[in-house]
Amino acid sequence: MPTPGAESLSSLSANTKEPAAPLAVGGDVKAARLVKSVPPVYPVVARTQRIAGNVSIDAVVETDGNVSTMKVLSGPAILHRAALDAVKQWHYEPAMLNGKPTASHLTVTVQFRLQ
Protein backbone atom coordinates (compact mmCIF):
# COMPACT_ATOMS: atom_id res chain seq x y z
CA MET A 1 0.00 0.00 0.00
CA PRO A 2 1.51 3.39 -0.98
CA THR A 3 2.17 5.96 1.70
CA PRO A 4 -0.48 8.70 2.00
CA GLY A 5 0.22 11.63 -0.34
CA ALA A 6 2.65 9.63 -2.48
CA GLU A 7 1.97 9.53 -6.21
CA SER A 8 2.67 6.57 -8.39
CA LEU A 9 5.40 6.82 -11.02
CA SER A 10 2.86 6.53 -13.82
CA SER A 11 0.90 9.58 -12.61
CA LEU A 12 4.12 11.58 -12.23
CA SER A 13 5.26 10.82 -15.75
CA ALA A 14 1.84 11.74 -17.12
CA ASN A 15 2.14 15.24 -15.60
CA THR A 16 5.59 16.07 -16.96
CA LYS A 17 5.95 18.09 -20.14
CA GLU A 18 8.72 17.54 -22.62
CA PRO A 19 10.40 20.62 -24.12
CA ALA A 20 8.94 21.68 -27.46
CA ALA A 21 12.40 21.81 -29.02
CA PRO A 22 15.86 20.69 -27.94
CA LEU A 23 17.69 23.17 -25.72
CA ALA A 24 20.72 24.77 -27.33
CA VAL A 25 24.00 23.82 -25.69
CA GLY A 26 27.36 25.37 -26.48
CA GLY A 27 28.08 28.12 -28.94
CA ASP A 28 30.93 30.58 -29.28
CA VAL A 29 31.75 31.37 -25.64
CA LYS A 30 34.37 33.86 -24.43
CA ALA A 31 34.94 34.16 -20.67
CA ALA A 32 34.81 37.47 -18.82
CA ARG A 33 38.21 39.19 -18.57
CA LEU A 34 39.34 41.39 -15.70
CA VAL A 35 40.03 44.94 -16.91
CA LYS A 36 40.38 46.86 -13.63
CA SER A 37 40.95 45.58 -10.10
CA VAL A 38 41.08 47.51 -6.86
CA PRO A 39 43.22 46.07 -4.05
CA PRO A 40 41.45 45.40 -0.76
CA VAL A 41 41.98 47.62 2.26
CA TYR A 42 43.51 45.38 4.91
CA PRO A 43 41.38 45.67 8.07
CA VAL A 44 43.46 47.15 10.91
CA VAL A 45 42.19 44.57 13.41
CA ALA A 46 43.13 41.71 11.07
CA ARG A 47 46.59 43.18 10.50
CA THR A 48 47.11 43.70 14.24
CA GLN A 49 46.08 40.10 14.93
CA ARG A 50 48.28 38.95 12.03
CA ILE A 51 45.36 37.31 10.19
CA ALA A 52 46.09 36.54 6.54
CA GLY A 53 44.54 34.30 3.93
CA ASN A 54 42.45 34.06 0.80
CA VAL A 55 38.80 35.01 0.48
CA SER A 56 36.94 33.22 -2.34
CA ILE A 57 33.91 35.00 -3.74
CA ASP A 58 31.24 33.96 -6.24
CA ALA A 59 30.56 37.09 -8.29
CA VAL A 60 28.05 37.84 -11.04
CA VAL A 61 29.49 39.96 -13.86
CA GLU A 62 26.72 41.74 -15.75
CA THR A 63 26.62 42.51 -19.48
CA ASP A 64 28.14 45.96 -18.80
CA GLY A 65 31.14 44.39 -17.04
CA ASN A 66 30.18 45.54 -13.54
CA VAL A 67 30.00 43.14 -10.60
CA SER A 68 26.41 43.07 -9.32
CA THR A 69 25.99 40.21 -6.88
CA MET A 70 28.56 38.58 -4.63
CA LYS A 71 28.64 35.78 -2.11
CA VAL A 72 31.60 34.79 0.06
CA LEU A 73 32.47 31.12 -0.41
CA SER A 74 35.39 30.80 2.00
CA GLY A 75 38.08 32.63 3.92
CA PRO A 76 38.66 34.27 7.30
CA ALA A 77 35.45 36.03 8.39
CA ILE A 78 37.30 39.16 9.51
CA LEU A 79 38.46 39.69 5.89
CA HIS A 80 35.08 39.14 4.15
CA ARG A 81 33.86 42.77 4.13
CA ALA A 82 37.18 44.14 2.82
CA ALA A 83 37.23 41.54 0.03
CA LEU A 84 33.63 42.25 -0.99
CA ASP A 85 34.25 46.02 -0.96
CA ALA A 86 37.23 45.57 -3.28
CA VAL A 87 35.56 43.16 -5.74
CA LYS A 88 32.49 45.42 -6.01
CA GLN A 89 34.81 47.99 -7.65
CA TRP A 90 36.35 45.59 -10.15
CA HIS A 91 35.42 45.91 -13.82
CA TYR A 92 35.41 43.21 -16.47
CA GLU A 93 35.12 42.85 -20.19
CA PRO A 94 31.87 40.83 -20.07
CA ALA A 95 31.57 37.23 -21.13
CA MET A 96 30.44 36.82 -24.73
CA LEU A 97 28.07 34.21 -26.11
CA ASN A 98 27.82 34.10 -29.91
CA GLY A 99 29.20 37.64 -30.09
CA LYS A 100 26.76 39.14 -27.57
CA PRO A 101 27.61 40.22 -23.99
CA THR A 102 26.11 37.94 -21.38
CA ALA A 103 26.06 37.86 -17.58
CA SER A 104 28.26 35.22 -15.97
CA HIS A 105 29.35 33.81 -12.62
CA LEU A 106 33.00 33.91 -11.67
CA THR A 107 34.84 32.66 -8.63
CA VAL A 108 37.48 35.19 -7.65
CA THR A 109 40.09 34.98 -4.93
CA VAL A 110 41.22 38.02 -2.97
CA GLN A 111 44.57 37.52 -1.23
CA PHE A 112 45.48 39.12 2.07
CA ARG A 113 49.19 38.80 2.87
CA LEU A 114 51.13 40.25 5.79
CA GLN A 115 54.37 41.92 4.74
Side-chain angles (χ1 to χ4, degrees), residues 36-44 55-59 66-72 76-92 108-110 112:
K36 178 189 126 192
S37 66
V38 174
V41 176
Y42 214 120
V44 175
V55 177
S56 292
I57 297 172
D58 175 61
N66 291 320
V67 176
S68 65
T69 308
M70 298 173 293
K71 177 180 154 189
V72 175
I78 197 167
L79 301 174
H80 289 184
R81 175 55 41 207
L84 290 168
D85 289 345
V87 172
K88 183 69 177 169
Q89 299 175 67
W90 291 10
H91 189 77
Y92 287 83
V108 297
T109 302
V110 180
F112 291 85

Side-chain angles (χ1 to χ4, degrees), residues 1-24:
M1 177 170 199
T3 51
E7 297 181 41
S8 70
L9 289 178
S10 61
S11 67
L12 285 175
S13 63
N15 292 331
T16 60
K17 293 183 180 178
E18 295 295 321
L23 298 174

